[in-house]
Amino acid sequence: MNPLDFLIPVAHAQAAGAAPAAPGMMSTLLFPVILIAIMYFLMIRPQMKRQKEHRAMLDKLSRGDEVITNGGIAGTVSEIGESFVTVEIAAGVQVRLQKGAIANVLPKGTLKAA
């Protein structure tokens, strides 16, 4: 069986007056199941993995870590709350952000070297 048979129905010669053959239940349901499986492995699964890694990074966040936010602001974590983080972006300048707004944790000393 050719894989294109699922996309393009094959024309079969029919006897005059014979009722058309109904497609099998297996071939009717096989194509949507294959599409869902492909979408799961190419789209849904990698996104869930990234979310899990981001959640783990936020759980490991501690005072003194150097971070970059989604908006591109780099700073050092000075306080950590349940859902908010205070980041010091300059001497005496602190910004309060949601934890989810932190995009990445930088290696120690990155901000001092810049």
Side-chain angles (χ1 to χ4, degrees), residues 48-90:
M48 289 172 57
K49 184 178 177 184
R50 278 191 294 272
Q51 285 177 345
K52 185 177 179 182
E53 290 172 356
H54 188 255
R55 212 174 306 121
M57 178 200 62
L58 292 178
D59 290 341
K60 291 180 188 176
L61 198 62
S62 63
R63 197 165 185 259
D65 284 347
E66 296 175 353
V67 297
I68 289 188
T69 67
N70 288 335
I73 298 173
T76 306
V77 175
S78 59
E79 288 182 38
I80 301 175
E82 190 66 29
S83 58
F84 289 95
V85 176
T86 303
V87 177
E88 185 173 357
I89 56 176

Side-chain angles (χ1 to χ4, degrees), residues 1-113:
M1 176 169 249
N2 189 354
L4 290 177
D5 289 344
F6 292 114
L7 299 174
I8 303 169
V10 179
H12 294 287
Q14 298 176 2
M25 183 70 143
M26 188 67 165
S27 65
T28 304
L29 293 177
L30 189 61
F31 187 67
V33 169
I34 290 172
L35 282 178
I36 290 171
I38 290 171
M39 284 183 56
Y40 175 77
F41 283 108
L42 292 179
M43 295 172 61
I44 298 169
R45 190 168 177 229
Q47 179 63 29
M48 289 172 57
K49 184 178 177 184
R50 278 191 294 272
Q51 285 177 345
K52 185 177 179 182
E53 290 172 356
H54 188 255
R55 212 174 306 121
M57 178 200 62
L58 292 178
D59 290 341
K60 291 180 188 176
L61 198 62
S62 63
R63 197 165 185 259
D65 284 347
E66 296 175 353
V67 297
I68 289 188
T69 67
N70 288 335
I73 298 173
T76 306
V77 175
S78 59
E79 288 182 38
I80 301 175
E82 190 66 29
S83 58
F84 289 95
V85 176
T86 303
V87 177
E88 185 173 357
I89 56 176
V93 180
Q94 294 184 346
V95 178
R96 191 169 178 161
L97 306 167
Q98 285 184 330
K99 271 190 176 180
I102 295 177
N104 203 358
V105 177
L106 301 172
K108 298 279 185 184
T110 304
L111 295 178
K112 298 209 188 301

